[in-house]
């Protein structure tokens, strides 16, 4: 199967390494790559470090690449999800299935993209967008038939967890941010994590897919951790609580949606309070299956790459 990658940063390169390791069992070949600065093509399959040619517009790239699947893994634009949304539409216009790890399109335009894919009978997958490749969307699609999800809660932003843990040890907000940056987990602009935008985008993406919403991150009732003081953290500890930036989405009985991404005081024995370091947890509150949880322990870029791979296997089985 011929694959075109749009974006070849940490995730793209981890994905290429994963495919190289699985080649004997899975006949997937990356035959074209487009980045902002350059392109590469080889119908026989590109090496991990291709010889680069000049940049190209996405339409020119896809027309020359003639892939069977497109993987969109360009940098996140938290404001409106572009140009990733346009990249996905360019692939759809050519009848091509798309996989993305970029939460921008899911947080900003999922309902429209889903409708466009369905109208053209095209598969569209995005497992790695919210929890670094852990099965969330595919778990629901494949293993929870007939289930209605009425609520979602999760602690999904690693940077704020690391920063708050550092502050609980007596360090400052700035020192916590520096540590998160040294660990390589903070967004390029850490304000995106600290101000709660990353959590709001994940809340919107989860609501759009699992609660059949059509919202953007701007619709989420959002607050960051920038104004939390060491005194508040100590007061929470004294009360047997942990402060965490929690994402919540709930479909109310009247059909309305409540969406929040805010710091909360969680009792120490709350499941959401018990994921350490860069680990994440998400709980799905359902009608037929009670509450189901997914925990990812210290995920890295290899897990994000695996989510793309799982989506690819899913698509390959259906083509
Ligand atoms: N890193 C993770 O662990 C992780 C986890 C979950 C989801 N994600 C998501 O996965 C995506 C990729 O992440 P990453 O860590 O691989 O990012 P990255 O290392 O910053 O790489 C981004 C890539 O996208 C390319 N790019 C940017 N704008 C482009 C455009 N307009 N057209 C074509 N290519 C463009 C860049 O090209 P140039 O180098 O030429 O500028 C680069 O190759 C992001 O949306 C991120 O939010 C990442």
């Amino acid at each position: 199967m011929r694959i075109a990658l749009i974006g070849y940063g940490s995730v793209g390169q981890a994905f290429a390494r994963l495919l190289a390791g699985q080649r004997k069992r899975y006949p997937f070949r990356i035959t074209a790559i487009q980045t902002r600065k350059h392109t590469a093509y080889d119908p026989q399959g590109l090496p991990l470090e291709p010889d680069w040619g000049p940049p190209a517009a996405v339409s020119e790239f896809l027309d020359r690449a003639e892939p069977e699947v497109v993987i969109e893994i360009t940098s996140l634009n938290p404001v409106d999800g572009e140009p990733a949304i346009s990249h996905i539409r360019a692939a759809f216009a050519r009848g091509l299935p798309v996989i993305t790890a970029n939460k921008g399109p899911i947080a900003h335009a999922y309902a429209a993209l889903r409708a466009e894919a369905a109208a053209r009978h095209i598969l569209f997958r995005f497992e790695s967008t919210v929890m670094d490749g852990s099965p969330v969307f595919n778990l629901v699609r494949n293993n929870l038939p007939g289930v209605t999800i009425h609520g979602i809660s999760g602690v999904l932003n690693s940077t704020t967890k690391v920063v708050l843990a550092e502050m609980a040890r007596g360090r400052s907000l700035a020192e916590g941010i520096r540590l998160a940056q040294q660990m390589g987990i903070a967004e390029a602009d850490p304000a995106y994590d600290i101000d709660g935008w990353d959590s709001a985008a994940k809340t919107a993406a989860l609501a759009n897919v699992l609660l059949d919403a059509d919202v953007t991150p701007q619709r989420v009732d959002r607050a960051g951790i920038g104004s939390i003081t060491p005194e508040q953290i100590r007061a929470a500890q004294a009360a047997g609580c942990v402060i965490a930036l929690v994402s919540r989405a709930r479909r109310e009985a009247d059909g309305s949606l409540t969406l929040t991404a805010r710091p909360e005081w969680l009792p120490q024995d709350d499941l959401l309070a018990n994921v350490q370091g860069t680990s994440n947890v998400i709980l799905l509150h359902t009608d037929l299956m009670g509450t189901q949880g997914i925990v990812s322990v210290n995920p890295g870029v290899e897990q994000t790459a695996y989510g793309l791979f799982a989506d690819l296997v899913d698509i390959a089985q259906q083509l």
Side-chain angles (χ1 to χ4, degrees):
M1 177 177 263
R2 297 183 308 280
I3 301 159
L5 302 186
I6 306 181
Y8 196 59
S10 346
V11 173
Q13 290 167 43
F15 176 69
R17 289 193 297 273
L18 191 160
L19 283 199
Q22 296 295 319
R23 190 139 300 138
K24 285 199 181 116
R25 288 203 292 165
Y26 293 93
F28 301 134
R29 279 175 296 153
I30 298 169
T31 54
I33 302 175
Q34 182 201 17
T35 75
R36 204 165 4 206
K37 299 189 211 73
H38 39 216
T39 52
Y41 308 86
D42 186 342
Q44 300 312 312
L46 287 162
L48 293 177
E49 292 181 25
D51 287 333
W52 295 109
V58 71
S59 50
E60 184 194 333
F61 168 72
L62 291 176
D63 287 342
R64 175 163 172 199
E66 294 189 330
E68 292 163 276
V69 179
V70 174
I71 302 191
E72 211 295 339
I73 33 177
T74 63
S75 328
L76 170 69
N77 171 348
V79 178
D80 62 8
E82 287 290 6
I85 295 170
S86 299
H87 294 163
I88 292 170
R89 288 197 162 121
F92 285 172
R94 289 161 177 77
L96 298 169
V98 175
I99 299 166
T100 187
N102 188 335
K103 63 181 161 291
I106 308 302
H108 286 276
Y110 176 67
L113 292 172
R114 178 186 57 188
E116 289 165 34
R120 294 169 185 266
H121 307 288
I122 292 170
L123 293 168
F124 179 39
R125 295 286 184 267
F126 38 81
E127 186 57 82
S128 291
T129 51
V130 169
M131 215 170 141
D132 304 297
S134 297
V136 178
F137 301 122
N138 292 337
L139 174 92
V140 172
R141 185 186 301 109
N142 297 325
N143 299 99
L144 295 176
V147 158
T148 297
I149 296 171
H150 49 75
I152 298 158
S153 45
V155 176
L156 300 166
N157 179 270
S158 303
T159 296
T160 50
K161 212 140 40 68
V162 166
V163 170
L164 289 168
E166 282 300 288
M167 288 172 73
R169 289 187 196 102
R171 311 243 155 69
S172 68
L173 179 80
E175 286 171 318
I177 293 172
R178 260 199 304 283
L179 176 64
Q181 285 171 325
Q182 281 160 12
M183 292 168 73
I185 58 168
E187 289 288 336
D189 177 1
Y192 181 60
D193 294 306
I194 301 302
D195 295 346
W197 280 112
D198 175 71
S199 295
K202 287 171 174 166
T203 307
L206 287 163
N208 286 342
V209 181
L210 299 178
L211 299 181
D212 203 21
D214 185 6
V215 296
T216 66
Q218 285 79 0
R219 159 80 165 74
V220 177
D221 177 11
R222 175 190 56 82
I225 64 159
S227 59
I228 291 177
T229 61
E231 291 70 35
Q232 286 170 328
I233 292 178
R234 277 196 294 278
Q237 282 173 329
C241 290
V242 171
I243 299 181
L245 184 52
V246 181
S247 287
R248 293 188 193 274
R250 195 172 63 243
R251 177 75 70 188
E252 308 292 352
D254 64 3
S256 64
L257 276 170
T258 305
L259 304 168
T260 57
R262 310 180 64 88
E264 293 184 18
W265 286 34
L266 300 169
Q268 269 161 5
D269 60 358
D270 188 316
L271 203 51
L272 295 181
N274 280 284
V275 277
Q276 310 298 328
T278 60
S279 302
N280 297 313
V281 59
I282 188 164
L283 301 176
L284 306 176
H285 310 289
T286 82
D287 56 352
L288 304 178
M289 273 301 281
T291 293
Q292 297 292 308
I294 302 151
V295 177
S296 180
V297 178
N298 293 327
V301 75
E302 287 76 19
Q303 282 65 58
T304 303
Y306 179 79
L308 297 173
F309 176 75
D311 283 343
L312 184 60
V313 172
D314 180 25
I315 285 178
Q317 285 168 346
Q318 298 186 57
L319 285 182

